[in-house]
Amino acid sequence: EAAGSSREVFYPLWNVTDNTADSWYSFQSTSNAANSNKMMCSGVAPVGFSSISAMYFWWGCSDSGSPTFTWAWSIAAGGQAGSTHSMSQTSLTSADGVGYTGNDLTRSDLMNETGSSDLEDIIAANDIFGIRIHSTHSTFPTLGIGVTITWNF
């Protein structure tokens, strides 16, 4: 990539049943809504990136209401333990309690959710990462679409 350029990458979310291990490396593809389940994606940070300028969770729902979410992530380089750097389940404040109209698609900002030591502050080139988002409202049929990350070079 040329210096001063950026690339937005889409990472599809997969629904994970509650009896599946909560590891960043164990996810399975389904088309089910994530009612009180976890959605996961994973990827590798590109070589040569200098920063992340945007990171969004894209989702929708067939009902209207106020959803609630938590999220977690882990980062590791090759040869390291999968959770070398991690954030445990934390409220996704950009999405929690947002008034939502059924069948609308929306995005929720994942940047600076904890204020310091966020994924975007720690990740390095070639790091493997996993993101887990949990719809904590058992009757709100959330459809996780994916996560986008804009990598700056």
Side-chain angles (χ1 to χ4, degrees), residues 95-138:
D96 279 355
V98 172
Y100 181 79
T101 302
N103 295 316
D104 287 351
L105 299 178
T106 192
R107 70 180 190 179
S108 298
D109 195 349
L110 298 176
M111 295 284 285
N112 298 312
E113 273 287 311
T114 64
S116 63
S117 299
D118 294 307
L119 181 143
E120 66 269 17
D121 301 322
I122 297 171
I123 198 163
N126 278 331
D127 279 353
I128 301 164
F129 66 90
I131 296 172
R132 181 177 68 227
I133 299 173
H134 184 194
S135 173
T136 57
H137 194 292
S138 63

Side-chain angles (χ1 to χ4, degrees), residues 10 13 31-36 39 56-69 92 95 98-108 133 135 137 139-147:
F10 176 77
L13 284 165
S31 59
N32 298 333
N35 292 1
S36 201
M39 301 165 272
Y56 294 102
F57 162 44
W58 293 83
W59 59 278
C61 180
S62 59
D63 291 341
S64 295
S66 296
T68 54
F69 298 96
L92 179 52
V98 172
Y100 181 79
T101 302
N103 295 316
D104 287 351
L105 299 178
T106 192
R107 70 180 190 179
S108 298
I133 299 173
S135 173
H137 194 292
T139 60
F140 199 79
T142 306
L143 299 171
I145 299 164
V147 169

Side-chain angles (χ1 to χ4, degrees), residues 4-27:
S5 66
S6 64
R7 177 178 0 140
E8 184 176 29
V9 180
F10 176 77
Y11 301 93
L13 284 165
W14 306 108
N15 191 22
V16 179
T17 59
D18 283 334
N19 61 359
T20 304
D22 279 343
S23 300
W24 59 273
Y25 52 81
S26 62
F27 60 89

